[in-house]
Structure formats: C-alpha cells, structure tokens
Amino acid sequence: MSTDTSPLARAAAEFPRHEPRPPGAPTALQGIRVVDFTHFIAGPLATMILADMGADVIKVEPPARGDEVRYYPPAVPGLQSQSGPFVWSNRNKRSVALDLKADDALAVVRELIAQADVVVENFSTGVMQRFGLDWEACRKLNPKLVYCSVSAYGREGPFADRLGFDPVVQAESGFVSMNGYPDRMGVRASSAVMDIGTAMMVSNAILGALVARERQGEGQYVEVALFDTGLLMTGWATMQHLVTGLEPQRNGNTSPDTCPSGVFQASDKPFYISCGNDKIFQRLVAQVLDRPDLAEDPVLRDRNGRIARRDELFEVLNSEFGKHPWAHWQERMRGAQIPYGLVRTVGEAIRSPEARARRLVTSIDHPELGSIPNIASPIRYGRTPMADPTPAPAIGQHTAQVLAEVLGYDAQRIAGLAEGGAFGTRVPRGAENPA
C-alpha cells in the first residue's frame, strides 16, 4: 500500500476512478494522426482536445528540455520535467524527442508529416521555414495535409515578428480595461483565458478543415492568432463600442447590462445571482424574498430603472439576504428558477455536488505514481465517447514506439539514429539493444 501523503496522492485517492468507455466504441477522430510541434498552452491544449476525441497526437519535443511549460510551477512530485500546467494540457499524447537541428531528425519528421493528417505548430514566425517544415514544403510531402499555424499576431504583416503571451494579449485586446473595479487599474484574469480561447478556436478550425478535406479531397493551411482571439474574448463589448462610441467601464462583480446581477451575502456565505431579464427579477423579489412592494415598484419593474437605482436596490437585497443562511436561500432560488451560484474557491468547485454529479474529476492510472487526478473534457458524445485519458508523457517517452509503429523502423535503425544525435542525448526505450 502506498504511503505517499502528498496533496496529489490524497487527491487521487479522494476522487472516484475514471469509468472506461464502452468496449469497441469508436472515437470521433479515430484514425486521424496529428504531428504536434506546439508548446506552452494554446497549442498543446488544442491538440489535447483532438487527442481526447481519439486522434493519435504525436508531440515532437526538443530532447533536452522538451516543452518549456514542463517547468512552470508547480512541479509534480515524483516526476521529472512535468508540472501541473503540463499535465493539465498534454494528456492522451505520445512524445517523440527529436533534435530538429540534426538532418537525420528532420528526415524522420518529414516521414511523419508525409503520412499525417494534421500538423500544428506555434513557433515564432520563420522557425518552421528555417527547418524546411513550413506549409509550402509540407504540402509537397502530403497534399491532403491540414497545416495549422498558431501565432501571436499573424504570420504575415507588420507584426508577424512579435511574440505574444496570454497576459499581454489580455492587455492589448482591451480585456484588462474591462475587468476590475472603477476606482483602480483594470486587472487580468488569473486563468489563461486567451490561451484557452485560442485552443478552442484552433481545434474548431482543424475540425472544420478535416470536414472540408473529407468532402473536397484537399488539405489546406489554417491560421489562428492569439490577438484575434483576444478581441473575440472581449465579447459583445466591441459591438457595443461601435454602436455607442463609448468605452466599456469596469463594474466589478456587477453587470452593466442587467440588474440585479452580482455578489450578495447570506448570513453565512457569499453567492452570485444574475437577473438577466424582468421576469427573473419578478420571481426573485416576489417568490424568493416575499417583497411584493419591490415587484410592484414602477421603476424597478424595468431593467433600465433597476440599473439607475442599482446601489439602492443592492442595499435592500443584501439586507434581506443577510437574514438567513445560504441553505435557506438556495432552496427558494432553485424553486423559483433564479440563476444563482455560490462564490467558491477552485478547490470547492472541483469538490462541489455539481462537479461530482458530472464526474468532472476522477483518478486515472499512472505508470510511475500509481494514480493521479484527471480533469475531464466537457465534451460528451453519445455514439463516439471521448478517449480514455492517459497521463501526459515524459520527454521522448514514445520515440521508439512511434518510429517502429508508424514508420516501420527496426531497433537497429532507431539505435543508429540515436548514435547520430537525432534524439539528442536521450536513448529511446527499445533502442538500447537492437536486434
């Protein structure tokens, strides 16, 4: 029995085991192979979405350090070169460690690309061209290839050379200016919302290109830029600005468009309610609070009237909510169909009844740690369930396996590549004693 008492081990023991998919069920992307040159978050998360759908994602990493996000804190105890962020964004992949500065390694990569369905890269502009792995070169190897380039500001134009990271794009897109409180500087979201949004765009773009290839018989070049996604992530504020000429203002936890929407305090806990229309407000004050006077107020019955009297209304509501604990209000709000929710920490959220009912956190087998927690994909397919999760790979963990299985290399050839430096100083497992 394991005596590991680390938070990770305790979490793995706390959550239920992952329930395997039905035997023999197909996956949505069964038979699709992705050669993945991405690193950090936006690219890897996008390819993980494809891997969760059943694609064979082959992550090509530098032999010495691999993907740099492997070293973002916190490190996973007991594992070399694996961090929490890396584990979160790289499950269901196979890692191949290749030194792209070596000619033999580039030859291997070209063979992989020649029989792949998708290539995804998010290097700085010009890097893939220097390796001879840009779109024009790769389409000659494989005319049916879908080649997706993830950049900061686009691959062409005056800003193609700029690097871009999530917080920078949050600032430049206007996102930061919208968030926080009006009496201080705007704030970034702690979550990498631009990377996550870009990952969703990338996976959607690739899926669309695969459908087009299926129907039209040709691959194509696909591009998604972080900054472009950033503007989208400001939501409808862009169109509101174009309609009114006004800049969005910071409103803290309230909403500029609806009222009452914000954080309120029961006698024991804070919670959020969102009254998106007049009918919800009527149910809130009449059925939940038993305040028919508020429901009948000719000003408060209208959205704009409530917005104009927001401070006064919030004071009244908080006074009422403070009279009882959360359990009292939760039951009444659920019965009245009010959009509500506790203000939770991350730890509380993943252990909530809602998360447990959806089995969003489970534990899965790990070859070195025994088991680790896993955060489920939100996608649920009826006929083609998502792939069973496998842990994020070690650097080059699958090099020999992929070269043998995908390219047909024997152990002697793999060993020769190792001796020639194609894999850096790492000798792939399975190549130490060639037959």
Side-chain angles (χ1 to χ4, degrees):
M1 181 179 296
S2 173
T3 58
D4 188 352
T5 59
S6 69
L8 188 72
R10 292 199 301 270
E14 174 185 356
F15 292 99
R17 297 290 294 169
H18 167 76
E19 292 184 359
R21 61 201 310 276
T27 58
L29 294 183
Q30 187 170 305
I32 296 295
R33 180 163 290 136
V34 179
V35 179
D36 177 11
F37 294 97
T38 66
H39 49 285
F40 289 106
I41 295 297
L45 186 60
T47 55
M48 190 185 81
I49 293 170
L50 303 179
D52 285 348
M53 293 178 180
D56 178 18
V57 175
I58 299 171
K59 185 178 179 72
V60 179
E61 300 187 77
R65 286 181 60 83
D67 185 339
E68 191 62 30
V69 86
R70 287 178 176 274
Y71 308 98
Y72 274 40
V76 176
L79 296 181
Q80 288 188 340
S81 306
Q82 292 208 41
S83 67
F86 181 82
V87 169
W88 172 74
S89 56
N90 283 279
R91 68 170 168 247
N92 285 341
K93 302 180 185 181
R94 300 197 281 180
S95 172
V96 171
L98 291 167
D99 183 356
L100 297 185
K101 296 177 182 177
D103 290 341
D104 286 347
L106 282 173
V108 171
V109 165
R110 291 189 181 99
E111 284 193 60
L112 287 172
I113 291 171
Q115 52 73 62
D117 299 282
V118 179
V119 164
V120 192
E121 64 86 15
N122 67 339
F123 285 115
S124 299
T125 299
V127 171
M128 290 296 273
Q129 288 177 314
R130 290 198 296 273
F131 288 140
L133 299 174
D134 56 290
W135 160 240
E136 292 300 330
C138 289
R139 71 188 298 189
K140 294 175 183 177
L141 298 171
N142 184 351
K144 297 189 72 174
L145 185 70
V146 172
Y147 186 108
C148 184
S149 184
V150 186
S151 64
Y153 297 90
R155 290 300 187 205
E156 297 180 350
F159 306 109
D161 63 310
R162 288 192 59 189
L163 299 180
F165 284 89
D166 181 285
V168 174
V169 171
Q170 286 195 41
E172 286 203 327
S173 65
F175 189 86
V176 167
S177 76
M178 297 167 52
N179 291 288
Y181 290 90
D183 61 343
R184 66 202 76 172
M185 179 73 71
V187 296
R188 56 166 280 201
S190 294
S191 173
V193 292
M194 300 305 172
D195 281 336
I196 296 168
T198 299
M200 294 176 181
M201 286 294 163
V202 169
S203 57
N204 270 323
I206 290 170
L207 293 174
L210 287 172
V211 171
R213 187 187 71 171
E214 181 69 20
R215 295 183 174 181
Q216 300 158 12
E218 295 182 36
Q220 62 181 301
Y221 178 74
V222 178
E223 185 185 6
V224 178
L226 198 64
F227 181 73
D228 299 3
T229 303
L231 284 181
L232 177 68
M233 294 291 285
T234 61
W236 55 75
T238 48
M239 189 56 68
Q240 286 177 321
H241 167 73
L242 293 171
V243 169
T244 66
L246 302 175
E247 294 286 2
Q249 301 300 302
R250 292 185 291 281
N251 294 278
N253 284 318
T254 65
S255 167
D257 311 306
T258 62
C259 185
S261 291
V263 175
F264 296 89
Q265 184 71 48
S267 63
D268 57 346
K269 295 179 181 179
F271 60 93
Y272 200 104
I273 58 174
S274 180
C275 287
N277 58 49
D278 296 338
K279 291 181 179 180
I280 295 174
F281 173 73
Q282 289 293 315
R283 296 200 301 270
L284 174 69
V285 293
Q287 298 178 35
V288 177
L289 295 176
D290 293 325
R291 287 291 302 268
D293 57 312
L294 298 176
E296 296 166 5
D297 187 300
V299 175
L300 297 181
R301 295 181 66 172
D302 174 71
R303 173 203 306 264
N304 292 332
R306 293 194 300 276
I307 290 174
R309 291 172 58 182
R310 178 184 285 114
D311 291 346
E312 173 191 345
L313 181 58
F314 270 51
E315 186 175 347
V316 171
L317 296 183
N318 266 318
S319 176
E320 293 291 338
F321 286 131
K323 295 176 181 177
H324 298 285
W326 165 246
H328 171 86
W329 297 119
Q330 181 185 30
E331 181 179 359
R332 294 174 72 91
M333 284 192 286
R334 187 169 183 177
Q337 289 291 290
I338 306 299
Y340 69 88
L342 272 176
V343 178
R344 292 170 172 151
T345 66
V346 171
E348 290 169 343
I350 63 175
R351 293 171 175 85
S352 67
E354 292 85 355
R356 292 190 184 277
R358 298 290 291 171
R359 296 184 67 85
L360 293 180
V361 185
T362 58
S363 66
I364 61 173
D365 291 335
H366 192 281
E368 296 179 55
L369 301 181
S371 62
I372 62 171
N374 180 71
I375 301 167
S377 168
I379 299 170
R380 309 289 172 99
Y381 286 127
R383 189 178 63 81
T384 58
M386 303 294 270
D388 289 325
T390 59
I395 300 173
Q397 177 180 336
H398 304 96
T399 302
Q401 179 191 85
V402 167
L403 299 192
E405 176 188 312
V406 178
L407 300 181
Y409 291 5
D410 59 25
Q412 186 171 358
R413 185 171 183 183
I414 295 171
L417 287 167
E419 291 175 7
F423 313 130
T425 58
R426 295 177 184 270
V427 178
R429 281 179 285 185
E432 301 92 335
N433 299 299

